[in-house]
Amino acid sequence: MLDGRPLIDVHLHPARLDSLTMSWDVWVQDFDSPQLRALYDGDAVDPQAFDAMLAAEGVDVAIALAEYSPKVTGIQAVEDMAALAAAAPRVRFAANVNPHLHHPVDEEVTRQLDLGAVALKVHPVHGGFPVNDRALYPAYAICQDRGVPVVVHCGTSTFPGALNRYGDPILLDDVLRDFRRLDVVLAHGGRGWWYDAAAFLALSNERVWIELSGLPPSRLPTYYARHNWARLTRRMIFGTDWPGIPGIARNARAVAALCPDDETADLVLAGNASQIYRLPLT
């Protein structure tokens, strides 16, 4: 709980350092600190220290993201995220597939979901594929049938090797047409060039959500200035992109302050995520 409100952070990267393709300084950018380094035991985050950090930040549930992007950030194996979740009570994890690496995709998605993943993340910008690649359709069909949300990296990335043309939300048009019962979460909310397109999708489709990771809260009203703020905030889900942030609680408080009322703040900080990711709050 943070200031009396439940808090869910749906977007964290507790990366194994030995499977990153880049140095620590590039990975954490401007957010290095002794406190961050203290969370690591060798190449991996210490589950107890990580869980204690989440508790101190007021987080009830945090979702750690697996990633298979060897040309950009490297591989964060789903087994490592599952092990972290098993040892840290507040942590859940999301699956990840890359059609260049995983075949058959349907079998790999099923395997990862059966490990306990609460969502499927696809990363077109780092993986080097369009989100409407038909090779991914079996994965979307499985998620739709199971009621599992698909999280799509929607926005730019500054890491070397990223293909930002694949961050365009217009590429989701086919997917939303062909999978009408699939919940789609737009991670980074159109960061860079596509805020209007992301907002349009979220406001025009009840299955599409804006996820706030990597977006400075103070800039959100400017990014989405052309849209009805009161309506759009009710379509938002809180996430941070940890460790690349000043602090989880700091961001959450800033986001809550921008919401038009307490009910909306409750939805953004936990309610929407609890519903879409099926995360019960006690």
Side-chain angles (χ1 to χ4, degrees):
M1 299 280 283
L2 180 70
D3 304 332
R5 285 195 175 98
L7 178 61
I8 299 175
D9 185 344
V10 300
H11 197 122
L12 297 90
H13 295 283
R16 281 195 63 92
L17 304 183
D18 56 356
S19 58
L20 285 173
T21 59
M22 58 192 64
S23 69
W24 171 268
D25 290 339
V26 174
W27 172 247
V28 301
Q29 300 182 6
D30 297 326
F31 299 100
D32 195 5
S33 70
Q35 293 78 15
L36 175 58
R37 291 175 181 262
L39 296 177
Y40 274 82
D41 180 12
D43 287 318
V45 293
D46 177 86
Q48 286 71 42
F50 189 62
D51 200 69
M53 179 276 292
L54 294 172
E57 294 288 326
V59 177
D60 296 280
V61 182
I63 299 179
L65 303 181
E67 184 171 342
Y68 293 85
S69 302
K71 291 185 177 180
V72 183
T73 53
I75 291 176
Q76 300 300 319
V78 69
E79 290 81 5
D80 293 329
M81 300 302 115
L84 175 62
R90 287 173 177 77
V91 178
R92 308 294 183 271
F93 69 97
N96 178 256
V97 291
N98 182 333
H100 297 313
L101 300 178
H102 297 116
H103 181 78
V105 163
D106 57 343
E107 293 183 6
E108 179 61 16
V109 168
T110 298
R111 184 185 77 85
Q112 294 191 29
L113 293 179
D114 287 347
L115 290 175
V118 299
L120 170 66
K121 169 81 180 291
V122 293
H123 206 315
V125 171
H126 286 178
F129 55 85
V131 71
N132 60 0
D133 189 325
R134 273 12 182 214
L136 289 168
Y137 268 40
Y140 300 150
I142 290 168
C143 289
Q144 179 173 256
D145 290 344
R146 288 196 178 200
V148 172
V150 171
V151 182
V152 180
H153 179 105
C154 179
T156 54
S157 169
T158 60
F159 287 133
L163 293 174
N164 285 312
R165 69 177 181 272
Y166 290 139
D168 191 340
I170 192 61
L171 297 171
L172 278 163
D173 210 30
D174 297 341
V175 177
L176 295 172
R177 176 199 62 196
D178 295 336
F179 298 93
R180 298 188 181 186
R181 293 181 289 107
L182 181 67
D183 282 305
V184 176
V185 178
L186 306 181
H188 313 299
R191 180 174 64 195
W193 308 318
W194 301 295
Y195 296 113
D196 285 336
F200 174 83
L201 288 178
L203 290 171
S204 62
N205 190 315
E206 65 179 4
R207 293 288 188 177
V208 178
W209 304 84
I210 296 284
E211 191 250 85
L212 301 176
S213 59
L215 303 179
S218 64
R219 299 182 185 177
L220 292 175
T222 300
Y223 291 157
Y224 300 111
R226 297 174 61 182
H227 303 274
N228 184 309
W229 181 249
R231 286 186 60 211
L232 187 61
T233 48
R234 297 182 70 87
R235 309 295 304 161
M236 291 179 175
I237 294 173
F238 180 75
T240 58
D241 214 13
W242 185 95
I245 54 161
I248 298 174
R250 176 176 170 180
N251 272 30
R253 288 186 174 110
V255 168
L258 292 170
C259 292
D261 50 54
D262 287 341
E263 180 186 6
T264 303
D266 290 342
L267 289 173
V268 177
L269 295 190
N272 289 337
S274 178
Q275 172 195 341
I276 300 308
Y277 292 78
R278 298 187 177 183
L279 301 170
L281 291 169
T282 57

